[in-house]
Amino acid sequence: MDWDSIWGEVIAGIILLVVGSVGGWFAGLFKGKKESSSAIERKNNIYQPLLNEVVRYSKFEWTILEKIKADFLGEITNASYKYGLPEELQNKCNYLYEIVSTYNSIDPIRIADNIIVDIFTKAYGEIYGSIIDGISYHSDKYGNEWEEEEIVEPVQIIKQINNSKEIDSLLRNEGIFSDEICIDCENGLFEPIYGQLKRIYSSALHVIINGKRYEHSKPVIDLKMLPEEYMAYQYDFFEIYNADERIKQKYELREEIIYTSQSVVEKLKERIGKIVRVYEVEQV
């Protein structure tokens, strides 16, 4: 029996076994580091930025005057193939972005502006008897002739003035009156009004045209206050505004966004927490 050959084969086998074990250990170590690096990268580049963007809308502190900025959420939704989110989380993100888009499409400032224009137009006709300033006559080269009613300048002007700052202030201060009017001066009886509305109506009523203040017709009702005060006092802006179906929908969407954001935040925190426990804490 050739003991030298036998021992040579045994030693060679041991060497191969050791080399294979060490190689497998290094391969496993490399695979583990690769998985760790990939998980941490996803946490830092996907989950945490998305959490930072969504978490602010998971609370009740913000109002419907705020336009939601969710650029990364939109990227996650529109390019889902790039991020590979778990199906449940991806579906939640898709739904959240859908309702955010609908929410952002409803503009409370514009809705309020249209209501103010309608109030002014109606009140102007009530105070001065009509919003028609006269009749203009027109014709074209084909011999066609027609008449056209000319709307008084203040009614035209209020549709053109940018009152967004005053309206924003008005909507943020519902229930907080900043002015008052005397409805019975002999008995010292005053009523509160919104100063923002008074200023908006006044700016249209006292418009300057060709260097001269617009002259109104004589009021057809007995005014005991300024026309702009009458408009702000007699017409309940917020009753009309809050009854508007678009504003109601905006509030409903806000609530849905808050609850859906809370669900997305919970899922993101779960994934981030798992990555931290498995890959980051162990590295300390």
Side-chain angles (χ1 to χ4, degrees):
M1 181 177 293
D2 189 350
W3 288 103
D4 290 339
S5 298
I6 293 174
W7 279 111
E9 291 178 2
V10 170
I11 292 171
I14 293 173
I15 292 174
L16 288 174
L17 180 63
V18 170
V19 170
S21 298
V22 171
W25 180 81
F26 273 111
L29 180 63
F30 177 76
K31 181 180 179 182
K33 286 185 176 181
K34 185 175 180 181
E35 290 178 352
S36 172
S37 176
S38 176
I40 293 172
E41 183 178 353
R42 287 181 67 79
K43 186 206 78 167
N44 293 335
N45 297 333
I46 300 176
Y47 299 135
Q48 193 62 55
L50 183 57
L51 175 62
N52 294 340
E53 186 174 80
V54 173
V55 71
R56 61 185 300 187
Y57 303 112
S58 66
K59 303 173 183 179
F60 284 87
E61 285 80 2
W62 53 282
T63 73
I64 64 167
L65 294 177
E66 184 170 347
K67 190 175 181 66
I68 295 179
K69 296 180 180 179
D71 296 335
F72 192 51
L73 177 65
E75 175 71 12
I76 291 288
T77 300
N78 296 321
S80 58
Y81 62 91
K82 291 171 54 178
Y83 299 97
L85 295 185
E87 183 178 2
E88 183 182 6
L89 179 57
Q90 182 67 57
N91 289 338
K92 288 181 181 294
C93 288
N94 294 346
Y95 177 65
L96 178 58
Y97 188 68
E98 179 183 342
I99 54 179
V100 163
S101 299
T102 304
Y103 166 91
N104 281 337
S105 69
I106 302 173
D107 185 353
I109 300 293
R110 179 173 294 181
I111 293 170
D113 186 57
N114 290 336
I115 292 171
I116 288 171
V117 169
D118 290 342
I119 289 175
F120 183 87
T121 303
K122 183 177 181 180
Y124 192 96
E126 183 180 346
I127 294 170
Y128 298 107
S130 176
I131 63 168
I132 306 302
D133 197 28
I135 303 294
S136 60
Y137 300 90
H138 305 273
S139 63
D140 58 25
K141 63 181 181 179
Y142 302 106
N144 298 312
E145 298 181 352
W146 67 93
E147 299 177 356
E148 186 175 324
E149 293 181 336
E150 296 294 333
I151 306 298
V152 293
E153 289 289 345
V155 172
Q156 296 185 53
I157 289 296
I158 199 169
K159 297 177 181 179
Q160 302 169 12
I161 299 175
N162 182 359
N163 291 310
S164 57
K165 289 185 178 180
E166 288 279 23
I167 293 174
D168 183 82
S169 173
L170 173 67
L171 297 181
R172 292 182 187 278
N173 291 280
E174 181 178 358
I176 303 175
F177 299 98
S178 56
D179 206 340
E180 62 180 11
I181 58 171
C182 181
I183 61 172
D184 187 349
C185 295
E186 291 184 4
N187 297 307
L189 183 58
F190 290 81
E191 288 285 346
I193 60 172
Y194 290 101
Q196 300 93 331
L197 287 173
K198 178 181 174 180
R199 288 190 292 271
I200 291 172
Y201 298 144
S202 179
S203 66
L205 285 166
H206 303 296
V207 61
I208 304 297
I209 301 174
N210 297 325
K212 296 182 180 181
R213 178 171 293 185
Y214 182 82
E215 292 187 11
H216 305 280
S217 303
K218 184 179 178 180
V220 297
I221 62 175
D222 183 20
L223 280 178
K224 299 183 185 300
M225 58 192 74
L226 295 174
E228 55 267 35
E229 293 175 336
Y230 179 86
M231 293 176 175
Y233 176 65
Q234 289 292 340
Y235 292 85
D236 192 333
F237 164 81
F238 277 108
E239 182 179 359
I240 302 171
Y241 173 80
N242 289 321
D244 190 285
E245 291 301 323
R246 294 164 296 179
I247 297 302
K248 290 181 179 179
Q249 182 186 14
K250 186 94 170 176
Y251 275 111
E252 291 171 358
L253 289 168
R254 171 183 172 273
E255 187 170 321
E256 185 67 16
I257 287 169
I258 290 172
Y259 290 128
T260 305
S261 294
Q262 289 174 352
S263 180
V264 171
V265 166
E266 181 182 357
K267 292 297 180 184
L268 288 170
K269 285 183 176 180
E270 287 177 1
R271 300 199 69 81
I272 291 172
K274 182 177 180 181
I275 291 172
V276 170
R277 290 193 303 272
V278 174
Y279 298 109
E280 293 187 323
V281 174
E282 292 181 352
Q283 295 178 3
V284 178

